[in-house]
Amino acid sequence: MALLRTAPAPKLDELRRLYELPLFELVHQSRAVYTAHWPDPEIQLCSLLSIKTGGCSEDCSYCAQSSHYDTALQPERLMEKETVLAAARRAKAEGATRFCMGAAWKGVKGGDAKLDAVCGIVEGVAELGMEVCVTLGNLDTEAARRLKEAGVTAYNHNIDTSPEFYPKIVTTHTFDDRLRTIGEAQKAGMSVCSGGIIGMGETVTDRLRMLEVLAGLETVPESVPINVITPIPGTPLGDAEPVDIFELVRLIAVARITFPVSKVRLSAGRTKLSREGQALCFYAGANAIFFGSKLLTAPNPEANEDLRLLRDLGFKPQAPYTDVPVPDSVAATV
Ligand code: SAM
Ligand code: DTB
Ligand code: SF4
């Protein structure tokens, strides 16, 4: 895997030039990058589980789990290890090869008792032979080291949008906090899953700036999730307008060209997309999804619907890899 960038990262102007191409010209280019790096028609299936739900101190304007907003969500304590393992076994039996556990925390530190519990859970999931992803908020050096040691392969930590727009959606932590945690996860040897959300009132420039920042990291993310806003009643973005499918396809295509060897993950919002819309996203270069009937708190397509879609399109689920990719050469070039 070539995730360490040695070629110059693409700049905003170049990303904009790509984004503004006639749609089929853009998709023609992204398709060529995709087939050059991913010869097999495979989609990675990652199942999500919220292991600690709601009651979060942070004020992310889109989130059902923030304690700042009056949403219908019932907060829940950290799950027992056996409950999590049963869910992971079910996800594996359905066809998932990666299991991602989310916790509604500001973050975890090396000395936290909750970190002991999470590490115990991670060890159990790793023993199932699945890729193990966690998303727990900010990490310090020690927490990152311990998670890696317990068997985490990937850390999900989205930058969500541009640095300029970020303070308009979150005030309880900063964009730089997000970048620091990405750095901690990478230093500890975990791969990083980082992307964002579209449809929060940001401009196309914000969306492309998000890709520019991720592309400028010394080690680019192994996975880039593109979420479409799922409006949650009671949050400031509860009335967010739907995103046009072609805007999503354009961003996926630009992400594919920018991150040739990363997974580009078609993420939240798929329940609102048609089969044809999703097929176009895959054609443009998306090669990973969240799989199973629930995201963290919001609905996702049923597993059997997704398996049928993938079969109808001729895709196979991607096999798991449990070794963190060793950055070994030149990465993304535009
Ligand atoms: N608390 C951790 C954190 O902030 O990183 C992990 C969980 S958080 C829910 C993970 C990501 O899910 C967010 O960064 C955001 O990109 C996405 N997300 C959350 N709520 C969403 C929504 N309503 N619509 C779309 N994406 C959402
Ligand atoms: C990501 O980028 N999307 C996932 C995962 N990483 C953790 C979460 C989507 C959450 C959607 C809203 C919800 O379920 O509450
Ligand atoms: Fe908390 Fe994460 Fe939701 Fe922000 S996105 S409110 S940090 S759970």
Side-chain angles (χ1 to χ4, degrees):
M1 279 282 181
L3 295 169
L4 187 67
R5 178 176 294 286
T6 55
K11 291 291 179 210
L12 182 63
D13 283 353
E14 174 59 2
L15 300 180
R16 203 196 307 277
R17 187 192 66 75
L18 287 166
Y19 188 92
E20 288 173 357
L21 286 170
L23 182 69
F24 286 179
E25 175 55 28
L26 169 59
V27 170
H28 179 71
Q29 290 192 24
S30 67
R31 181 86 196 142
V33 171
Y34 176 57
T35 52
H37 292 86
W38 301 88
D40 299 321
E42 290 181 342
I43 300 286
Q44 190 206 45
L45 307 182
C46 173
S47 288
L48 287 167
L49 181 68
S50 179
I51 59 171
K52 188 271 168 185
T53 303
C56 185
S57 62
E58 305 307 284
D59 68 353
C60 312
S61 302
Y62 48 78
C63 189
Q65 306 201 62
S66 167
S67 61
H68 294 253
Y69 316 121
D70 193 7
T71 66
L73 192 76
Q74 196 58 43
E76 289 168 30
R77 301 161 74 91
L78 182 62
M79 277 181 185
E80 295 295 330
K81 179 172 175 174
E82 271 317 309
T83 315
V84 178
L85 292 187
R89 281 190 210 99
R90 268 198 308 276
K92 186 178 177 185
E94 281 182 335
T97 56
R98 185 191 286 220
F99 193 65
C100 177
M101 293 166 276
W105 288 323
K106 186 181 182 76
V108 280
K109 297 207 169 75
D112 290 352
K114 64 191 182 189
L115 182 62
D116 298 341
V118 171
C119 287
I121 293 172
V122 165
E123 283 164 12
V125 178
E127 280 169 14
L128 301 178
M130 302 180 88
E131 292 177 38
V132 188
C133 175
V134 287
T135 178
L136 313 170
N138 294 334
L139 297 180
D140 67 6
T141 306
E142 178 61 7
R145 189 193 64 74
R146 290 192 52 202
L147 288 168
K148 163 69 183 163
E149 198 176 273
V152 169
T153 50
Y155 198 76
N156 169 237
H157 202 64
N158 291 343
I159 61 170
D160 277 331
T161 187
S162 67
E164 295 75 27
F165 192 65
Y166 198 77
K168 301 209 165 68
I169 55 160
V170 184
T171 69
T172 47
H173 58 258
T174 65
F175 192 83
D176 282 349
D177 292 334
R178 300 299 281 182
L179 293 180
R180 245 189 307 279
T181 287
I182 289 172
E184 292 294 355
Q186 290 180 329
K187 264 194 300 172
M190 292 180 275
S191 66
V192 158
C193 170
S194 187
I197 310 181
I198 63 174
M200 301 186 293
E202 75 289 341
T203 61
V204 167
T205 301
D206 290 311
R207 296 173 189 172
L208 297 175
R209 277 281 285 144
M210 172 179 91
L211 297 185
E212 185 188 35
V213 170
L214 292 172
L217 297 173
E218 192 180 342
T219 300
V220 299
E222 170 258 346
S223 157
V224 180
I226 306 292
N227 295 275
V228 176
I229 185 75
T230 299
I232 309 284
T235 63
L237 292 172
D239 295 324
E241 297 290 331
V243 172
D244 184 78
I245 179 68
F246 299 128
E247 293 190 28
L248 174 61
V249 171
R250 282 181 185 278
L251 198 69
I252 284 175
V254 176
R256 169 49 65 212
I257 295 168
T258 309
F259 304 104
V261 299
S262 305
K263 269 160 226 134
V264 174
R265 191 177 303 277
L266 177 58
S267 301
R270 286 196 303 117
T271 52
K272 303 257 173 62
L273 299 185
S274 66
R275 279 161 52 90
E276 295 84 347
Q278 294 183 69
L280 190 50
C281 293
F282 296 138
Y283 190 80
N287 64 345
I289 54 173
F290 290 117
F291 175 69
S293 60
K294 204 170 175 191
L295 293 164
L296 290 173
T297 71
N300 199 40
E302 293 295 331
N304 60 358
E305 274 176 48
D306 276 342
L307 292 175
R308 188 164 66 88
L309 176 61
L310 297 186
R311 196 195 55 220
D312 290 351
L313 297 177
F315 283 114
K316 291 186 309 257
Q318 195 179 73
Y321 60 83
T322 46
D323 286 340
V324 173
V326 180
D328 57 10
S329 66
V330 181
T333 45
V334 171

